[in-house]
């Protein structure tokens, strides 16, 4: 039977052919890229997943939406754009086994008001049993408070590909400092090729792999989660 509660481990499944049918629901959920959404001028341009994804029939699924804003033709970020984007995203809940939506949008300061309004619109229109998750730049969770009151079940700090601030953020976490917003303290995002050493995981893991997933990957993640 499908799990009702989100598992403690999620595998991120990006845009490539993947066979994850070997992943048992009790071992991990699947957060799969379902949609790329580009905001351009007055348009919301949606590209659905193109590559095959094989899954266990009882997999716990999170549909991930990657949002980008076009730099050459900046989006107007008005209410019409918000409503159109929200409608497209909500449509993903019709996919069988989808129990959650995760938004991946590295919003700039000027885009934050739009992002906030989009998330409030999603939470208002999503069924109560559909979880709403976002990925978060680690700096948002450590040095910024703008996400603290967002209507989401979790914000997943991305502890890989962090850039110049990465070293100081990891040092702070290893010294015992935690993320400021409560919504950042439930989950973390890591990568198998950039493990975070000495970190007390103890929370839900979202894991990226630059290579195809296999049973060895699952074993490695389980060891991380038991740290």
């Amino acid at each position: 039977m499908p799990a009702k509660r989100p598992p403690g481990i999620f595998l991120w499944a990006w845009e490539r052919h993947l066979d994850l049918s070997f992943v048992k629901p009790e071992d991990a959920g699947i957060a799969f890229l379902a949609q790329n959404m580009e905001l351009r001028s007055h348009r919301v341009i949606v590209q659905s997943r193109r590559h095959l994804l094989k899954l266990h029939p009882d997999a716990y699924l999170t549909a991930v939406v990657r949002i980008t804003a076009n730099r050459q033709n900046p989006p107007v970020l008005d209410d019409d754009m918000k409503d159109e984007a929200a409608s497209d995203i909500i449509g993903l809940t019709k996919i069988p086994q989808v129990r959650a939506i995760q938004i991946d949008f590295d919003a700039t300061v000027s885009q934050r008001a739009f992002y906030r309004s989009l998330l409030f619109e999603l939470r208002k229109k999503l069924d109560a049993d559909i979880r709403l998750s976002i990925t978060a730049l680690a700096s948002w969770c450590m040095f910024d408070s703008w996400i603290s009151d967002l209507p989401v079940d979790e914000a997943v700090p991305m502890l890989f590909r962090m850039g110049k601030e990465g070293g100081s953020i990891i040092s702070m976490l290893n010294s015992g400092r935690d993320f400021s917003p409560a919504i950042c303290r439930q989950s973390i995002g890591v990568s198998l090729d950039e493990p975070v050493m000495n970190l007390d995981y103890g929370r839900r893991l979202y894991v990226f792999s630059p290579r195809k997933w296999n049973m060895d990957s699952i074993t490695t993640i389980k060891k991380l989660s038991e740290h």
Side-chain angles (χ1 to χ4, degrees):
M1 292 292 292
K4 294 183 178 180
R5 294 174 58 84
I9 296 171
F10 276 88
L11 311 184
W12 270 313
W14 294 117
E15 186 67 282
R16 56 186 170 187
H17 292 295
L18 289 171
D19 184 352
L20 298 177
S21 57
F22 69 90
V23 181
K24 298 178 181 178
E26 60 267 29
D27 288 335
I30 308 298
F32 70 101
L33 182 65
Q35 232 178 45
N36 279 297
M37 178 177 288
E38 183 187 28
L39 309 179
R40 181 194 303 174
S41 186
H42 292 269
R43 301 175 62 197
V44 176
I45 302 170
V46 173
Q47 184 176 73
S48 298
R49 184 183 185 90
R50 296 167 295 169
H51 289 108
L52 181 66
L53 180 62
K54 294 183 179 180
L55 300 164
H56 189 285
D58 291 334
Y60 189 112
L61 299 183
T62 293
V64 181
V65 180
R66 173 61 179 166
I67 299 178
T68 57
N70 189 284
R71 295 185 179 182
Q72 285 70 40
N73 297 283
V76 294
L77 302 179
D78 59 8
D79 285 343
D80 288 341
M81 178 168 279
K82 175 199 67 178
D83 292 342
E84 183 178 351
S87 178
D88 284 326
I89 293 168
I90 290 168
L92 296 173
T93 61
K94 297 178 182 178
I95 299 173
Q97 300 301 111
V98 166
R99 309 296 185 83
I101 297 292
Q102 185 175 83
I103 309 298
D104 180 25
F105 183 22
D106 298 338
T108 63
V109 173
S110 65
Q111 296 162 353
R112 289 179 180 181
F114 172 83
Y115 193 18
R116 177 184 295 274
S117 67
L118 174 61
L119 292 171
F120 272 94
E121 186 72 10
L122 288 172
R123 187 65 280 171
K124 181 173 68 174
K125 293 186 175 180
L126 285 170
D127 290 345
D129 61 345
I130 298 293
R131 287 171 54 83
L132 182 57
S133 168
I134 64 171
T135 62
L137 299 178
S139 59
W140 291 355
C141 293
M142 189 64 78
F143 306 125
D144 206 329
S145 61
W146 80 274
I147 67 172
S148 60
D149 62 344
L150 293 179
V152 298
D153 295 288
E154 64 180 2
V156 184
M158 308 290 276
L159 300 183
F160 61 102
R161 318 292 196 266
M162 288 187 286
K164 62 182 180 180
E165 294 179 330
S168 60
I169 290 173
I170 296 303
S171 294
M172 290 177 187
L173 291 171
N174 285 334
S175 69
R177 179 174 171 179
D178 207 341
F179 299 113
S180 299
I183 60 173
C184 291
R185 300 183 201 140
Q186 301 176 44
S187 309
I188 55 175
V190 298
S191 177
L192 288 182
D193 67 338
E194 200 175 322
V196 182
M197 304 306 294
N198 303 319
L199 182 64
D200 181 12
Y201 289 90
R203 41 192 91 181
R204 184 172 298 113
L205 279 180
Y206 286 84
V207 188
F208 171 77
S209 175
R211 301 181 180 86
K212 287 188 176 181
W213 291 105
N214 54 41
M215 285 304 301
D216 288 341
S217 305
I218 306 299
T219 300
T220 299
I221 296 167
K222 283 185 174 181
K223 289 179 180 179
L224 287 177
S225 65
E226 294 168 357
H227 185 275

